[in-house]
Amino acid sequence: MTALRLRNTLTRKVEDFIPLDPSNVRIYLCGPTVYDRAHIGNARNVIVFDVLYRLLRQIYGEAHVNYARNFTDVDDKINARSLESGRPISEITAETTQWYLDDMGALGNLEPDHMPRATAYIGEMIAMTEALISRGHAYEAEGHVLFDVRSFADYGRLSGRSVDDMIAGARVEVAPYKRDPMDFVLWKPSEPELPGWDSPWGRGRPGWHIECSAMSHALFGESFDIHGGGIDLQFPHHENEVAQSCCAHPEGSFARYWLHNEMLMVEGKKMSKSLGNFFTVRDLLDQGFAGEVIRFVYLMTHYTRPMDWTDTKAREAEGVLRKWRGLTAGVEATEPAAEVIAALSDDLNTAGAIAALHGLANSGDYAALKASARLLGLLEDHMGDWLQGGADLSAYADRLAALRAEAMASKDFSAVDALKSALLEAGAEVRMSKAGVEVQPGPGFDEGKLPAL
């Protein structure tokens, strides 16, 4: 069996992955809070875990891998959106949940085996909170229930910080009912206009951190294999999950391997609405970037490194995919190549896997190229619609090359400039160099706008 190695945030080492039960490999990814469109940073951990899911199914068999990704559908952000818009919370969460599924599907991600919604597990959250109180790890104060951080000796192990360092360097909610500044909310009271459920502590709603602990336990038990998310969740969310889960179920180990992906930038800068470089996944799709192209760009960078979204990378990805789809058209996929599986098994080295795909293309092994690309969620039949209307523009390249040759002699480049401008207006990409002229469809290409030859 293929040896899989993963970078475990818990130990800060790349380790051999040994599942608790090879016939039931369990992975959990923290999903979205459904109040708005997913931005392009949100998509990174979905793509990372989708590749991991595909790889685990390749190694252990599709029937032996269970993947869960939750929806947080009770949250103060959702409440605020409802109050601002006047729309019912249920309507907002139903709409944004479907948006999320549609957008992640457009990027080629498989749907997980389990997609639990927080509101369906309130009973489990209340039960876990009661267990924490009974074990001396939580306390009630002014209608709230808080986790006693000092009661868990290993608090800070995941993030590698001490509690005192956390207090000194973090912004924590100051409340008079807290015993310690780092104590966090498990349950809080709800005003009449906000969602609430009856509990031993009065009508209220869960804190954010308890949700994933309760849902993962309900689905996978007190111990499972892999848990992950963006590096921004490592502290405090995942640190708090570890504390409350291990204290509520000390017989288990909770998650044994933790995977965290690094953040995303846009054209070398941190994504920010104030900088005008904040994009949702839907924004990119509406701009004409194909979901498969977006996915390829994400896979070009190892998940543990910051990723930079650039238009240049998107153009490069589109050119490569266009070439590979041409080479594999009508070819029946065989089995993924050993070198691609080996790259992915080396801590999800997607860049190395892409290099191996280039090798398969260059060697003419198109059947293995198609099968191997599909292990990364590429070259799937249903993802190729973006090529429709992607006309063969070689005639335009030839014409432009001829006009350039004439212009070099006459020194009159007006005809060259006119044709190039018309092609760009149609959404084509034009590259002119000493090596020749290349014209390809670009994002937003519209064949109907092409000039007559």
Side-chain angles (χ1 to χ4, degrees), residues 167-238:
I167 294 173
R171 292 182 298 176
V172 295
E173 181 185 358
V174 178
Y177 47 79
K178 281 188 176 185
R179 294 178 183 173
D180 188 282
M182 291 304 298
D183 292 351
F184 58 88
V185 172
L186 301 172
W187 189 264
K188 54 189 173 183
S190 284
E191 295 77 9
E193 71 275 11
L194 296 179
W197 290 262
D198 291 332
S199 79
W201 319 286
R203 183 179 179 276
R205 61 193 191 279
W208 175 38
H209 308 300
I210 194 72
E211 294 178 10
C212 287
S213 286
M215 287 186 281
S216 63
H217 181 264
L219 293 170
F220 294 153
E222 65 274 4
S223 303
F224 58 96
D225 297 300
I226 301 172
H227 194 325
I231 193 66
D232 57 316
L233 296 183
Q234 181 184 11
F235 179 82
H237 184 50
H238 288 162

Side-chain angles (χ1 to χ4, degrees), residues 351-428:
I354 289 173
L357 293 178
H358 281 292
L360 293 171
N362 293 336
S363 69
D365 193 349
Y366 303 142
L369 171 62
K370 178 178 275 190
S372 301
R374 288 180 171 179
L375 190 56
L376 281 84
L378 303 170
L379 302 191
E380 300 277 10
D381 290 340
H382 70 277
M383 293 289 287
D385 290 347
W386 63 276
L387 283 174
Q388 295 180 4
D392 180 2
L393 301 181
S394 58
Y396 288 92
D398 293 342
R399 177 59 177 161
L400 199 55
L403 290 174
R404 184 174 67 166
E406 294 172 5
M408 294 294 289
S410 67
K411 308 302 180 185
D412 180 4
F413 286 84
S414 57
V416 175
D417 293 339
L419 180 54
K420 182 179 179 180
S421 296
L423 290 169
L424 294 174
E425 181 67 24

